[in-house]
Structures are given as C-alpha cells and as structure tokens.
Amino acid sequence: MLTVEEYQRRLLQAATRLPSENRPITEIGSLVGAVLDKDVRSAVPLPGFTNSAMDGYAVRAADVTTASADAPVRMTVSDDIPAGDTRQLTLRPGECARIMTGAPLPDGADAVVPVEITDGGLEIVTISEAVTAGSSVRHRGEDVQPGDTVIPAGTLLLPRHVPVLASAGLTEVAVVRRPRVAVVSTGDELLPLGERPGHGQIVDSNGPMLAALVAQGGFELAAVTRCGDTGEAVRAALTPLADSADAIITTGGVSAGAFEPLKLAFEGSGSFDFVKLTMQPGKPQGFGIIGGTPVFALPGNPVSSLVSFLVFVAPALRAMAGRSPEIARHRATVGEQWQSPPGRTQFARVVYADNGHVVRPIGGQGSHVMGGLAGCQALAIVPADVTSLSVGDEVEVISLEGLA
Amino acid sequence: MLTVEEYQRRLLQAATRLPSENRPITEIGSLVGAVLDKDVRSAVPLPGFTNSAMDGYAVRAADVTTASADAPVRMTVSDDIPAGDTRQLTLRPGECARIMTGAPLPDGADAVVPVEITDGGLEIVTISEAVTAGSSVRHRGEDVQPGDTVIPAGTLLLPRHVPVLASAGLTEVAVVRRPRVAVVSTGDELLPLGERPGHGQIVDSNGPMLAALVAQGGFELAAVTRCGDTGEAVRAALTPLADSADAIITTGGVSAGAFEPLKLAFEGSGSFDFVKLTMQPGKPQGFGIIGGTPVFALPGNPVSSLVSFLVFVAPALRAMAGRSPEIARHRATVGEQWQSPPGRTQFARVVYADNGHVVRPIGGQGSHVMGGLAGCQALAIVPADVTSLSVGDEVEVISLEGLA
C-alpha cells in the first residue's frame, strides 16, 4: 500500500513538461491559460510615440508660464489632433493644438493643458493656469523599452497579460503546449449519453464528467470514448490514442475482480503499475506509459474517479503544462462530526456553510452515490491518522465550486 | 457623481436574466457553467437495476448462514455475470454465480459474497464467512427514485453534476441562456492584433483583453471588433450587434474630450447615460440600451477597462446568466503603505506575498501603464473614506490569478 503523497510523487516524476510551441499573436485567446516558455521581450517601445495623457491643448510650456486665473494666456489653436492622427506635425511657437487623449504630441510641444483649465476655444483658447514641461505627456518608451522583459518565462498567461502581449510588437509567443487528454471509460455495460439503458446497462457518466474536468482545468480534449471489458478491447482503444494524445485517462478495470480489463491488458507488461493506496475513496489505481504517453487508470465509480482526477491527474496535467502542480486548498472548520477509516487518507464529500468557513459531511460516503456527488461542494482531506472529526476541528478542503 | 455601489445597482436593475433554453443531454459539456432553469428530476431509478457492489459471488444469503473459516460452505458456480451482462438470470437454490461490480444481480440472489472471503473457485467455490441478506447489493432506486429532484433549479452546473445529469434518463436540460457578448473598441488609432502601428497608431489591446475576460467568466463571445471615432461609426457598429448579441461592451469615447464617439453617438438620445463615478480608475462610464440590448461603455485605457469589467460588467453578465452577481473577494493584510485619493473608491493594483495573505502595491497606479497591469495579481478595494493604507491594515481584494 502506498500513501497518497508517495503516489503523487511517483506520477509527478513521470509527468514531464511538454515541449514549447509558437502560437501566433493573432490567436491571443488561445494563449490565455498557457504557460510562457520564454521571457516575452517587447520589440517596440511603449508607448510607441509621445502622446497626450489628457484631452486638452498641446503647448510649449514656456508659452504658458505666466497663465493664471487673473491673467489668462490666449493662444491661437493651429490644429486639431484626434487619436489616430498619423500626421507628423510640428507646433509653431506661440501656437497650440487641440489634442485628444492618446493622440500624438506634435514636435515642439512639451506639455498638455487639460481642457478643464481652459475655455475650450476652437480657434483661440484662453488658458487660465500654467503647466510645467512634461505635464500630461506620456513619453515614447516611458512604460517599456525595446528588449525589456514584459512577462517572465513560466508565467501562466491571464487576461491581464493580454494588453502588453498585444502591444509588444510580436508575431508569435512561445508557450508550453497544453496537454491534449483522451478519456476512455471501460465497461461492456456502458452506453453513450442520451441512450436508454436496458437491463444490466448504464449510461457512461465518468467519461463526460472527466471531459468536463479536463476542460475546466484548462487542458484540451483529444477524445472521449468507451471500450469493452477485454484486454484486447482496451489495447485496441488505447494504442491509437497514445499517438494523438499527450495523456490518457481511463476509468474502471483496476480493482480485484476477475474481469479487470486494464489489468488484463497491461498487468505484467512492465509498462504498467497497479497499486493500492491508503486512501478512501480511490484505493485501487493504475499508472502506465504506452508509446511514451502517460496513462492514468482510475477506478470506475464516479466519486472515486472525481477524487482521483483532482488528487492525482490534475497535478500531473498541470506539471505537463508547465504550471505549479498544486491544486488550491483552503482551511475550514468542521460543523458536524463524521468518522474516517483508520490508516486511510479520506477525501470526504462536504457542503459549505458560513460562506465557506464551515463544512459538514453530506450523504453517504459510499463511492457510488451520484446524488451525493452532485450535492457536494468540496472535499475535506482527513489525514490517515485521524479517525474522527469533531465540531470545531480544522480541516483542509478542496473546493468543487469554482468554474475552473 | 455616483458611488460604485449606486452604479452597480443601476446596472443590475437593467441586466435581467436571459430566457431559458433546452440543451440536448448529448451536449453535456456545454451545460457545465450554465445555470439550471428548472429542477432536474430523474426519469429513471438509480441504480437502474439491482446490482453487485463488489466482485464476488451472488448467493441466497440463507444458503451461506453457516459458513465460517472452520466450516466453509462449498457451492456450485452456475454462471459468470460480468458488468454489462444483459441476460435476465435466475439463481437456482443452492447455487451461486460469479459476479462483477456493477453487474445485475440474478433473480433469487439477495447478497454478494466478496471474492476476498472465498477461494475464488470457478466451478466450485468455497465460502469461509457468512453474509446477510442485502450485503454488497445496490438495490434498484436506492440512490434516486423516478421523479426525485436530483439538482435544484438555480444551480450552476459543474463537473460534479455531470454523472447524475448523464444518468437521469433525460434527453434535454433547461438552462438559462449564457449571454453572448460583443466587444467593440472605439478609436481611429486602433489596429488589429499582429499589425505594425505607424505614427499615432496602436494595436487594440482592450478588445482581446475583454474577449479573454468574457471567456474566462463563462460567457460566450458574439464578436470582437473595432470602430472609428465618429458617432456614425459607433452607431453603424453597434446597431447590428444589438440584434446578434445579448450584451455589448465598448471601450473608449466616454470621457470629457471633444471627440468622444460614444457620447457623439448616444448622448441626449434618452437611451444612454454617461456618468462620473467616485472611483479610481474608472471614473467615466456609460450605459445604455440599444434595441433592447444593454451596452456597457467603458473608459478606453486598459487598466480602467479591466477594473470596469470586473466591478460592473461581470456582475451584470452573471445576473443575466442566472448566477449570483457577486464576484469573489477575500481579505488580505497590507504589506506596504500606499495612498488613495480622498472621496474615491480605489481599485489598487497589488501583488501577493505570503501565499495571498499579504498584498503590496505595484508600479504606478496611473491607468495607462501596461507593464504594471500585466504584473498585478489582484485589485485591492480601498473605500472612498480611506486615503492611506498602512502596513497591517486589512483590505478586501479581488484576485486576478484564477483561470476563471
């Protein structure tokens, strides 16, 4: 029997970071959620040209040093410069130009008088306050210089990185490839979604659930399929997927029965390990490498599959994507007592109270109860040496509430 | 001047929940992230047939009441019942059937003897422990009865709901439609991603950032476009989008300059409000209804756009999708002092320390600094009556770190 932590370490050793790929900047939406493989260095200065930080009048500051409410300065407005004006303009001494936020400052100008301290004149403007050189001006390159690292390698790209990525003058960005994951449910009893089961049959629920978890985790789906209960059926299903996917998740067929198809297919092959873990649920697990592709063989019931995905597969997929393997946990207080089996790390289904600060156990903790799975909002992690949780105890919790 | 809360309330009044739509169960992946419009009631019992909870031997419990290690019971194994076996079997008295987890219990059997307390025999099995009736059996309907509500209306569907949704015998599920959102950046200076700006031009960074925020928030993108700086250009861009989208987000053109295209297009039309808020950044905002479609007119600089999206647009879109409008906040401790303007609610860019428990201000708090935007991990909310944050103070924080 291995502990949860021992098995996590074993999987993380096998789940190596995927190679880098260059993605075009025009597909910037697909970059969000990927990890930068190299520093992003700007090819251009930002701003790219000296421009106005305010709506107002571009001036030489020296021309308005005497301006005050009592002795305003009147100037000829020689031009109107909207944002997007591509002309190369030069301001003549003694004149000013009406200018909009973001519009290029004309040569010769060194300050912008905000419209609020003028009369807003269109041909002649009256300025009632002095400004200093540089005032309300954004200088070319003041935010970023060419060659500056604007986002360091290893960063998980998020929406807030998009503006600087879009503006840095790049055509491509190098990111760690996101794992393409295939999901295979094993079992002759399984029907696809929407079909009506006959006696002895059930609709496959693990495949769609794992597909949703893969998508929610920020990974790509290569395939969601089912296969029968023989070793041949499993090998036939997995062999082509090992070529097209970076990782395969199977459910079912890893336990102690007479027809455990993952074991029939791979036990003793040298490429697969079947283990028992000191955990509940999720005790039987398998892991192997087929054609270089890691295969996570999870137990077949939905609750065990969900727990196994979060505890073992998600960290490994995150590591493959270049992300930190740890999935988020928080602490909460026990609001109602429950028991945990001795010598097992329990992942107990709980619901939140008091805004997530308190957790209570929900329904039966048996691994096949779907109603309880749908209703549970989090998994409380009970260490192997704890057999009883009492009101007021602190536990670590993995939330199931987030959209990602 | 309106406060942040006043403006949020105004937008939430206008952002009404979208109508329900039926989605086929076969597209279950697209249901995750949507809100249930009606209770999901199961059309079938779950489990759908009485089945074995263990790998072992289906028996009549009465036949093994005397079994013990000293006096094991030997029985004829009449059949092998794998999972997915669709035969309607009946167990003859005195016989047993080898059975797998999830396989249908034959008529006549009322218990399963786990393989672990047998010799695993294939023709004759030796059973060394008694079991009671019902032991290791999952009875038809014991988890869910037909007509039972398995997920209540109003639930945000998550991966953990997928198994019961898949298994409930439904062909369709009624969910609140997710808003299709169009994003329009205004400005003659804007070029699309990947083009090289000339003098006076910049690459549009707001559009792609807002598109990423819309996707990250669990909403659908209807369009991401740009338009020029005239009132006609804005109306021409927005009018068709009002038909195809449930909400429109624009950036730019809501400030006090001479060429504010949103104002040129809609000020005084009666369908649009332009307001100033006691907040920093994000002071100028616009909101209107065009052809029944809400239009969120955000200020044009990237930092203001991001803050305005999170504070105003995301809650409204969530409400349209039937979700709770509040976006997640947490409390953190100030690790380095900063100032906040009097009378303004400040959304200060901060970075995390100490595992998210401590925040420090980052870079310039000017609204145009893209490098600072990329580097900030969260927004700290400084109330309008607070002008100075000191080390050790507590602040509320909106994290920008999550994938969704």
Side-chain angles (χ1 to χ4, degrees):
Chain A
M1 299 265 269
L2 294 173
T3 67
V4 169
E5 294 72 23
E6 285 165 347
Y7 193 57
Q8 282 174 327
R9 276 196 295 275
R10 184 184 289 195
L11 297 192
L12 283 176
Q13 276 174 357
T16 50
R17 180 174 156 143
L18 292 177
S20 168
E21 62 181 7
N22 288 325
R23 289 278 188 114
I25 196 74
T26 49
E27 292 173 17
I28 204 163
S30 74
L31 292 167
V32 174
V35 169
L36 271 188
D37 187 58
K38 299 192 183 75
D39 289 348
V40 168
R41 293 170 187 275
S42 187
V44 296
L46 293 176
F49 52 92
T50 297
N51 67 85
S52 178
M54 302 283 281
D55 296 311
Y57 296 84
V59 297
R60 294 169 201 266
D63 289 343
V64 297
T65 43
T66 64
S68 71
D70 294 337
V73 169
R74 286 164 56 86
M75 299 183 83
T76 298
V77 182
S78 64
D79 216 333
D80 242 359
I81 313 178
D85 194 330
T86 57
R87 295 173 297 168
Q88 293 276 2
L89 298 169
T90 301
L91 197 66
R92 282 189 294 264
E95 292 185 351
C96 69
R98 200 160 71 126
I99 193 166
M100 299 307 122
T101 304
L105 209 70
D107 286 349
D110 61 4
V112 172
V113 179
V115 67
E116 290 82 358
I117 57 172
T118 73
D119 67 351
L122 299 181
E123 294 180 358
I124 303 287
V125 64
T126 303
I127 296 170
S128 52
E129 226 176 90
V131 297
T132 52
S135 172
S136 299
V137 171
R138 302 167 181 157
H139 290 280
R140 173 180 161 94
E142 76 171 42
D143 192 4
V144 171
Q145 288 289 326
D148 279 0
T149 293
V150 290
I151 318 175
T155 300
L156 175 65
L157 294 174
L158 294 167
R160 62 185 158 93
H161 299 109
V162 166
V164 79
L165 267 183
S167 306
L170 310 170
T171 55
E172 298 187 321
V173 178
V175 292
V176 181
R177 194 171 80 221
R178 277 190 272 191
R180 295 178 303 243
V181 183
V183 175
V184 183
S185 303
T186 68
D188 286 323
E189 74 276 28
L190 301 178
L191 296 182
L193 276 174
E195 290 196 14
R196 197 91 187 170
H199 180 69
Q201 299 180 315
I202 60 173
V203 172
D204 174 29
S205 57
N206 283 334
M209 177 184 70
L210 288 166
L213 287 164
V214 164
Q216 188 192 43
F219 313 111
E220 291 179 19
L221 272 174
V224 186
T225 63
R226 286 158 289 111
C227 75
D229 262 339
T230 63
E232 296 75 56
V234 169
R235 281 194 299 269
L238 267 53
T239 305
L241 292 175
D243 287 336
S244 61
D246 299 307
I248 299 172
I249 307 171
T250 68
T251 55
V254 296
S255 189
F259 304 106
E260 299 291 342
L262 262 289
K263 289 188 164 178
L264 292 173
F266 299 116
E267 195 156 45
S269 70
S271 60
F272 239 89
D273 261 350
F274 294 95
V275 297
K276 287 185 175 154
L277 306 182
T278 56
M279 76 185 279
Q280 183 211 44
K283 180 177 166 192
Q285 299 280 341
F287 178 75
I289 306 278
I290 301 179
T293 299
V295 180
F296 303 90
L298 312 185
N301 69 63
V303 178
S304 301
S305 287
L306 177 86
V307 170
S308 302
F309 180 88
L310 293 175
V311 177
F312 302 118
V313 184
L317 294 178
R318 289 167 64 99
M320 292 173 77
R323 289 158 60 186
S324 138
E326 289 86 30
I327 66 168
R329 298 173 174 201
H330 67 95
R331 298 193 74 78
T333 304
V334 171
E336 183 186 328
Q337 71 84 34
W338 78 87
Q339 305 299 314
S340 178
R344 304 267 199 113
T345 304
Q346 186 190 44
F347 292 85
R349 275 159 280 156
V350 294
V351 290
Y352 284 126
D354 189 19
N355 222 358
H357 297 300
V358 170
V359 292
R360 300 177 198 281
I362 179 175
Q365 296 289 336
S367 47
H368 64 287
V369 181
M370 284 186 196
L373 176 60
C376 86
Q377 298 178 294
L379 299 170
I381 307 168
V382 185
D385 58 355
V386 174
T387 56
S388 174
L389 283 295
S390 304
V391 174
D393 285 354
E394 279 231 320
V395 280
E396 279 216 298
V397 167
I398 300 171
S399 173
L400 302 176
E401 287 290 276
L403 266 182
Chain B
M1 300 266 269
L2 295 174
T3 67
V4 168
E5 293 73 21
E6 285 165 347
Y7 193 58
Q8 281 174 328
R9 275 197 296 275
R10 186 184 289 196
L11 297 192
L12 283 176
Q13 275 174 359
T16 50
R17 179 174 158 143
L18 292 177
S20 167
E21 63 182 8
N22 288 325
R23 289 277 189 114
I25 197 75
T26 49
E27 292 173 18
I28 205 162
S30 74
L31 291 168
V32 174
V35 169
L36 269 189
D37 187 58
K38 300 192 182 74
D39 289 348
V40 168
R41 294 170 187 275
S42 187
V44 296
L46 293 176
F49 51 92
T50 297
N51 67 86
S52 178
M54 302 282 281
D55 296 310
Y57 296 83
V59 298
R60 295 170 200 264
D63 288 344
V64 297
T65 42
T66 63
S68 70
D70 294 337
V73 169
R74 287 165 53 89
M75 298 182 84
T76 300
V77 182
S78 63
D79 215 333
D80 242 359
I81 314 177
D85 193 330
T86 58
R87 295 174 297 168
Q88 294 276 3
L89 298 170
T90 302
L91 198 66
R92 282 189 293 263
E95 292 185 348
C96 69
R98 200 161 69 129
I99 193 166
M100 299 305 123
T101 305
L105 209 71
D107 286 346
D110 61 6
V112 172
V113 180
V115 67
E116 290 82 356
I117 57 174
T118 73
D119 67 352
L122 298 182
E123 295 180 357
I124 303 286
V125 64
T126 304
I127 296 170
S128 52
E129 225 175 274
V131 297
T132 53
S135 173
S136 299
V137 171
R138 303 168 182 154
H139 289 280
R140 173 181 164 94
E142 77 170 42
D143 192 4
V144 172
Q145 287 289 326
D148 279 0
T149 293
V150 290
I151 318 175
T155 300
L156 175 66
L157 294 174
L158 295 167
R160 63 184 157 92
H161 300 109
V162 167
V164 80
L165 268 182
S167 307
L170 309 171
T171 55
E172 297 186 322
V173 179
V175 292
V176 182
R177 194 170 81 221
R178 275 190 274 192
R180 296 177 301 243
V181 183
V183 175
V184 183
S185 304
T186 68
D188 287 322
E189 74 277 26
L190 301 178
L191 296 180
L193 277 172
E195 290 196 15
R196 197 91 185 171
H199 180 69
Q201 298 180 316
I202 61 174
V203 172
D204 174 29
S205 57
N206 282 335
M209 176 185 70
L210 287 167
L213 287 164
V214 164
Q216 187 192 45
F219 314 110
E220 292 179 19
L221 271 174
V224 186
T225 63
R226 285 159 289 110
C227 74
D229 262 337
T230 64
E232 295 77 56
V234 169
R235 280 195 299 269
L238 267 53
T239 306
L241 292 174
D243 287 336
S244 60
D246 299 308
I248 301 173
I249 308 172
T250 68
T251 55
V254 296
S255 189
F259 303 106
E260 298 292 342
L262 262 289
K263 288 188 166 179
L264 292 174
F266 299 116
E267 196 157 44
S269 70
S271 61
F272 239 89
D273 262 349
F274 294 95
V275 297
K276 286 183 175 158
L277 305 182
T278 56
M279 76 185 280
Q280 182 209 47
K283 181 178 165 191
Q285 298 280 341
F287 178 74
I289 305 279
I290 299 179
T293 299
V295 180
F296 304 90
L298 312 184
N301 69 63
V303 179
S304 301
S305 288
L306 177 87
V307 170
S308 302
F309 180 88
L310 293 175
V311 177
F312 302 119
V313 185
L317 294 178
R318 290 167 64 100
M320 291 172 76
R323 289 159 60 187
S324 139
E326 289 85 30
I327 65 168
R329 300 172 174 202
H330 67 94
R331 298 194 73 78
T333 304
V334 171
E336 183 186 329
Q337 71 82 35
W338 79 87
Q339 305 300 315
S340 179
R344 303 265 200 112
T345 303
Q346 185 188 45
F347 293 86
R349 275 159 280 155
V350 294
V351 291
Y352 283 126
D354 188 21
N355 221 358
H357 297 300
V358 169
V359 293
R360 300 176 198 280
I362 179 176
Q365 296 289 337
S367 47
H368 64 288
V369 181
M370 282 186 200
L373 176 59
C376 86
Q377 298 178 294
L379 299 171
I381 307 169
V382 185
D385 59 354
V386 174
T387 56
S388 174
L389 283 295
S390 304
V391 174
D393 286 353
E394 279 231 319
V395 282
E396 280 216 297
V397 167
I398 300 170
S399 172
L400 302 176
E401 287 290 277
L403 265 183

